[in-house]
Amino acid sequence: MSVYENSVISFIKVIETNANLLTPPDWDNLKQLSNQLPNDDIEDISNQLENWLKASASRQEFFQRYQEQREAVTDAEVRDFQVIIGAGGSKSPTPANQPSPAAKDMIINSIIRHSPPSTPQTNPPKNK
């Protein structure tokens, strides 16, 4: 099991289970970061995510959950992740004519699914 794979899995799991620990500005910053992540370098992705977590005091509790999750990742979760992105961060074994999400795509999708709306939603006025 790669330490970098473990980190990416943990980051995604914490987003999925503890999204409320990030502030709206943190979410905006994370969205910007996710678009700048490399497509095929899981070590660089892992390092950038961890540096992002450490860069702000507002992310301290999220970072703590991330560290706890890194200790709890199972071998089965890593195997499932490797099937998606390919062992050792290589390209997925998915046939060329089939889509295969990369680690970056998985992170972006998780951010999109779990981030709060960008603008507050207001109720439309009721017709009388």
Side-chain angles (χ1 to χ4, degrees):
M1 163 180 14
S2 161
V3 110
Y4 307 112
E5 292 166 341
N6 188 334
S7 294
V8 170
I9 293 167
S10 298
F11 189 86
I12 291 169
K13 286 186 82 171
V14 175
I15 284 177
E16 292 175 351
T17 59
N18 294 277
N20 62 319
L21 296 178
L22 296 175
T23 65
D26 285 336
W27 277 109
D28 292 340
N29 192 266
L30 180 57
K31 288 175 188 175
Q32 289 175 355
L33 172 67
S34 69
N35 290 321
Q36 298 169 0
L37 294 173
N39 288 321
D40 57 358
D41 186 347
I42 195 155
E43 180 179 350
D44 192 22
I45 290 171
S46 172
N47 290 335
Q48 286 188 45
L49 292 174
E50 197 157 310
N51 289 338
W52 179 83
L53 287 170
K54 293 176 183 177
S56 175
S58 67
R59 303 175 198 139
Q60 183 177 8
E61 189 173 354
F62 191 95
F63 182 59
Q64 182 179 354
R65 299 278 172 91
Y66 162 79
Q67 290 176 310
E68 291 167 359
Q69 183 60 52
R70 283 181 54 197
E71 299 294 322
V73 171
T74 67
D75 289 341
E77 290 169 321
V78 172
R79 279 192 305 275
D80 290 345
F81 182 74
Q82 289 173 338
V83 166
I84 293 170
I85 68 162
S90 65
K91 292 188 178 184
S92 169
T94 305
N97 60 349
Q98 300 281 327
S100 176
K104 177 181 177 176
D105 295 332
M106 292 173 67
I107 292 165
I108 290 171
N109 290 338
S110 185
I111 291 168
I112 290 168
R113 280 192 311 271
H114 299 291
S115 65
S118 297
T119 57
Q121 294 181 354
T122 58
N123 293 330
K126 294 182 181 179
N127 293 334
K128 292 184 178 184

